[in-house]
Amino acid sequence: LYTREDVRRLVLIRRLSNAGVPIGEVAKASLAELERISENTISEQRAADAVKKRPESIHLVIIGNSLATLGAPAAAGERELDVVLRCADVRSAEEELSGRPVDIVVLECPTVHDGTDRLVADAMSTLGARGAIVVYGFGARAALNTLRRGGVVTMRSPLDSSELRRAALGLMEELSAAPRPPEEATGTVAGDVPPPRFTQDMVARIVGSSPSIKCECPHHLAQIVMGLRAFEQYCAECESSSPEDAELHRYLKGVTGRSRAAFEEALARLAEAEGIYLRD
């Protein structure tokens, strides 16, 4: 009853209808027109599927004047690296970002020393970056280890664009695999935690004092502050075997630091009430 062309035409009408093309647009079309519409529809679907499957770009901010560009476009299946901004310093980048998302901040640091970890943490916090890469010229081993324990990638300059690209892709893969801390625990970088308010000698002075009130609260508070300071330092120095461990210890250090600051405030009020002199 039906010719081969009839069957082909019906197959194409069903295929296009299943693809979302209104039946009224194809019911009366000729076989040649149906072939053309089918080819166009398949091409559009393939393009749409390719966009859906394409991984999201990684957004970077590069701080430094002499860092390499990221060079060639991404290979097939590889995430694109989108350099959102290049700036000479963090404050300028903050002003120019205008709320654009940042995944990784790449910082050029001629030297790495004690305190560089705080500068990196401040840059991440200011720009809202999840990770950091430090490209350095010279650095103290202890300072470099502190950065690495905190999950920061360190790379010796000079380096070419392919090395920087691989480092950014590798770091983003680690960040994507690592569990994020609870929502209330975000923002636990070093820059958010107040520095210690009292020296060890000042706290020891309270421990050795004779309280006038009928309790040991000054002694207990002083011991809590000393314990928190010790644990805060332990978290900063603790060796981490993986990015997950590094993130966890960074989180613990932040929580402990804020707890220590709260107890120091309580200790200051108690010392004032007791007439304990807290000055070096």
Side-chain angles (χ1 to χ4, degrees):
L1 296 177
Y2 298 98
T3 66
R4 189 182 298 268
E5 286 74 16
D6 290 333
V7 175
R8 175 64 177 162
R9 186 168 174 273
L10 290 171
V11 168
L12 287 172
I13 289 174
R14 184 180 66 174
R15 180 185 298 167
L16 290 169
S17 179
N18 290 341
V21 179
I23 191 69
E25 292 183 14
V26 294
K28 296 181 179 181
S30 66
L31 180 58
E33 289 174 328
L34 289 172
E35 295 278 10
R36 178 181 55 79
I37 296 171
S38 179
E39 288 179 4
N40 292 340
T41 302
I42 291 172
S43 296
E44 290 172 1
Q45 285 182 337
R46 285 176 177 169
D49 290 343
V51 170
K52 289 179 182 178
K53 291 178 181 178
R54 187 182 304 151
E56 293 183 4
S57 297
I58 301 171
H59 306 294
L60 288 87
V61 168
I62 297 179
I63 307 296
N65 296 318
S66 59
L67 285 172
T69 60
L70 295 172
E78 189 177 68
R79 297 180 71 172
E80 289 282 356
L81 298 181
D82 173 27
V83 180
V84 178
L85 191 65
R86 292 182 70 102
C87 260
D89 57 76
V90 173
R91 299 306 166 191
S92 299
E94 181 185 18
E95 293 173 2
E96 295 185 35
L97 269 177
S98 302
R100 284 176 287 177
V102 177
D103 294 309
I104 297 173
V105 57
V106 183
L107 296 106
E108 182 179 23
C109 297
T111 60
V112 172
H113 48 75
D114 289 343
T116 300
D117 59 324
R118 290 188 292 275
L119 295 176
V120 174
D122 181 60
M124 291 175 61
S125 177
T126 300
L127 303 180
R130 292 181 59 194
I133 297 173
V134 169
V135 181
Y136 70 98
F138 299 94
R141 181 177 300 177
L144 288 168
N145 287 338
T146 298
L147 288 173
R148 291 163 186 156
R149 284 196 297 268
V152 177
V153 175
T154 60
M155 305 182 72
R156 187 78 178 267
S157 64
L159 70 164
D160 58 34
S161 60
S162 61
E163 292 176 300
L164 186 55
R165 173 180 287 278
R166 285 196 299 270
L169 291 170
L171 175 57
M172 199 62 203
E173 187 175 341
E174 292 178 2
L175 291 172
S176 300
R180 281 176 171 263
E183 193 65 32
E184 67 274 10
T186 57
T188 59
V189 294
D192 295 332
V193 180
R197 184 169 176 175
F198 306 124
T199 66
Q200 293 283 21
D201 289 342
M202 294 161 69
V203 178
R205 195 178 305 154
I206 297 177
V207 174
S209 65
S210 299
S212 59
I213 55 178
K214 295 181 180 179
C215 72
E216 296 293 318
C217 284
H219 297 172
H220 295 325
L221 275 180
Q223 289 170 347
I224 290 172
V225 168
M226 292 175 72
L228 287 171
R229 283 190 61 174
F231 187 68
E232 188 179 5
Q233 182 66 26
Y234 171 80
C235 289
E237 296 174 353
C238 187
E239 291 287 347
S240 299
S241 58
S242 66
E244 292 85 353
D245 285 348
E247 179 66 25
L248 177 60
H249 283 95
R250 183 164 167 264
Y251 162 64
L252 291 174
K253 181 177 181 292
V255 170
T256 306
R258 284 195 296 277
S259 300
R260 182 258 307 151
F263 275 101
E264 284 179 334
E265 176 62 28
L267 186 58
R269 291 187 60 180
L270 194 57
E272 182 180 358
E274 285 289 290
I276 301 172
Y277 184 68
L278 286 180
R279 290 291 184 274
D280 278 344

